[in-house]
Amino acid sequence: KAHWDRMQGVKAKLPTEKGVFGAIPVGTEGYWWDYGKLSLFITNTQLATEQSAAGRAYRKFLNIPESLGNAFGGSVSAELSADSLAMACNIKGGSIKGSVLNNCTIGTCDVDGCILVNVTAKSVKGKGVVLYNVAHDGDLVLEDGEVVTNVFIPGQEKLVMKSTTSTDGGKVFKKQMDNGNPMSFQDVYKLGKTTDVNECYAEAEAAHAKIAASI
């Protein structure tokens, strides 16, 4: 009841002249873009490159220009295929095929069927990989279907967490995988409960900026 009352208070403060966006679709003609699992994150993010009704709706919802094959909001000198998007990226060279990149600073980027979000590195090479918030002072050569993220904790060395696109994260959440991960995903979750998120963001931004300056 207390939570309901709080939410009603928030709703009452919203502009009355506009509709309220809900997380639950109404009717049979709507789209449902779920990011709760890695497989769904990949499927729905790649919609941004599709010339379909769902792809166009997805781009319109996210305000992505209808200009597939073009980079915008940055500078991309890499060869960019018609079914790729590079948003707010600075990339000096390479080849980008069937991929979605957002907020990346990379010297040479050779990727195919990949998703890169907030990645800073001298070079990246991979097929079907997912990189999320990765700051790497060197060359990233990835196995097909590899998934990598960095976790920044103030006063500590960054955590490099890995998985694969074929791994069910729910089944290995409590286990420390034998792929070099320093701990389980559950342990990372527990760290987050006692860490100042703003300090983590600041640590990550500093790491990205330092590497970007050398590219």
Side-chain angles (χ1 to χ4, degrees):
K1 180 63 166 63
H3 177 68
W4 169 263
D5 291 339
R6 285 196 300 272
M7 292 300 98
Q8 291 305 303
V10 171
K11 184 177 180 180
K13 296 177 182 178
L14 297 175
T16 57
E17 68 275 11
K18 296 183 178 180
V20 178
F21 177 78
I24 299 175
V26 178
T28 61
E29 302 301 320
Y31 292 107
W32 177 262
W33 298 313
D34 193 340
Y35 294 89
K37 296 176 63 177
L38 176 61
S39 59
L40 295 174
F41 169 81
I42 294 171
T43 297
N44 290 319
T45 300
Q46 288 177 333
L47 269 177
T49 68
E50 293 185 9
Q51 290 292 359
S52 62
R56 288 188 289 273
Y58 184 78
R59 291 191 293 276
K60 184 176 182 180
F61 176 73
L62 294 178
N63 198 29
I64 297 174
E66 285 292 338
S67 56
L68 288 178
N70 294 322
F72 56 91
S75 175
V76 176
S77 298
E79 181 181 350
L80 196 66
S81 69
D83 58 347
S84 292
L85 282 175
M87 302 166 283
C89 293
N90 290 291
I91 301 172
K92 293 187 175 180
S95 174
I96 301 170
K97 302 176 182 178
S99 299
V100 178
L101 288 75
N102 184 46
N103 195 34
C104 296
T105 300
I106 302 170
T108 302
C109 186
D110 291 297
V111 293
D112 185 352
C114 299
I115 297 174
L116 278 61
V117 178
N118 200 26
V119 176
T120 306
K122 290 183 178 179
S123 72
V124 176
K125 184 175 183 179
K127 184 175 182 179
V129 306
V130 177
L131 302 181
Y132 195 98
N133 194 31
V134 173
H136 185 77
D137 188 13
D139 304 312
L140 277 171
V141 180
L142 303 136
E143 298 289 338
D144 291 0
E146 191 170 359
V147 179
V148 182
T149 187
N150 292 167
V151 180
F152 295 87
I153 302 173
Q156 297 185 33
E157 186 176 348
K158 72 178 182 183
L159 303 177
V160 179
M161 301 296 294
K162 299 181 180 181
S163 186
T164 69
T165 55
S166 61
T167 299
D168 187 332
K171 293 181 179 179
V172 300
F173 185 71
K174 298 180 180 181
K175 302 176 182 178
Q176 182 176 348
M177 299 174 67
D178 60 358
N179 61 354
N181 284 357
M183 60 183 70
S184 70
F185 295 109
Q186 183 181 53
D187 291 333
V188 174
Y189 168 75
K190 289 179 179 178
L191 280 175
K193 295 175 69 175
T194 58
T195 305
D196 188 317
V197 176
N198 290 323
E199 291 183 5
C200 293
Y201 282 137
E203 192 91 359
E205 288 177 2
H208 282 279
K210 182 178 180 180
I211 297 171
S214 66
I215 297 175

